[in-house]
Amino acid sequence: MSKPSARRGTRLAHIGIAVRSLDEILPFYRDILGLPEVPLDDADGASIAGLEAGDALVELLEAESPDSPIGRFVAKRGPGIHHLCFSVDDLDAALERCRAAGIRLIDESPRIGAEKKRIAFLHPSSTAGVLVELSEY
Ligand code: ZN
């Protein structure tokens, strides 16, 4: 299915940061750095606080339970940068390029993620140790 909108090119959409407590850390990003808060739905077992940082968002991710992906990440590595998300014009085409290049995929096909966008994750072993999320505009 073709997209009616103009091509915008791949760009940074958000940085996901795993946190122990939104209440604890949100005031730093929102009040001290002055990033405007934007409402975001929870996803993948995490409560999410979104903050506008120019054209990209900072997403603070707090686990809703210890056995969620963020809960396991924080237990193992402590709080920190969890993933980078890049928006792409055509997620199917981007995944196909990754597959053809031998990039290890976590999601073999797109699924619906936060903000009801189509997303897919790439494995850090293929991306310099950084969990990469691709999303479609
Ligand atoms: Zn994300």
Side-chain angles (χ1 to χ4, degrees), residues 6-84:
R7 295 179 65 80
R8 292 197 261 182
T10 303
R11 60 183 68 188
L12 183 65
H14 63 260
I15 300 167
I17 301 178
V19 306
R20 286 193 211 283
S21 159
L22 287 179
D23 289 342
E24 243 172 54
I25 199 67
L26 184 57
F28 166 70
Y29 287 96
R30 185 190 55 205
D31 307 329
I32 297 175
L33 293 187
L35 303 177
E37 192 173 359
V38 292
L40 290 180
D41 291 336
D42 300 342
D44 284 340
S47 301
I48 305 176
L51 299 137
E52 268 176 17
D55 292 334
L57 292 179
V58 171
E59 291 187 4
L60 304 177
L61 312 163
E62 180 189 331
E64 287 169 348
S65 78
D67 60 356
S68 64
I70 296 299
R72 289 194 301 269
F73 179 91
V74 170
K76 196 171 158 196
R77 304 168 66 159
I81 293 180
H82 180 260
H83 68 275
L84 300 182

Side-chain angles (χ1 to χ4, degrees), residues 63-118:
E64 287 169 348
S65 78
D67 60 356
S68 64
I70 296 299
R72 289 194 301 269
F73 179 91
V74 170
K76 196 171 158 196
R77 304 168 66 159
I81 293 180
H82 180 260
H83 68 275
L84 300 182
C85 177
F86 296 96
S87 287
V88 297
D89 289 312
D90 183 334
L91 181 55
D92 298 294
L95 273 184
E96 207 36 62
R97 288 195 302 274
C98 289
R99 196 175 277 118
I103 303 293
R104 195 169 152 203
L105 310 180
I106 292 176
D107 296 304
E108 290 291 331
S109 53
R111 61 187 174 89
I112 302 301
E115 304 167 70
K116 308 284 179 280
K117 288 180 178 172
R118 297 172 75 230

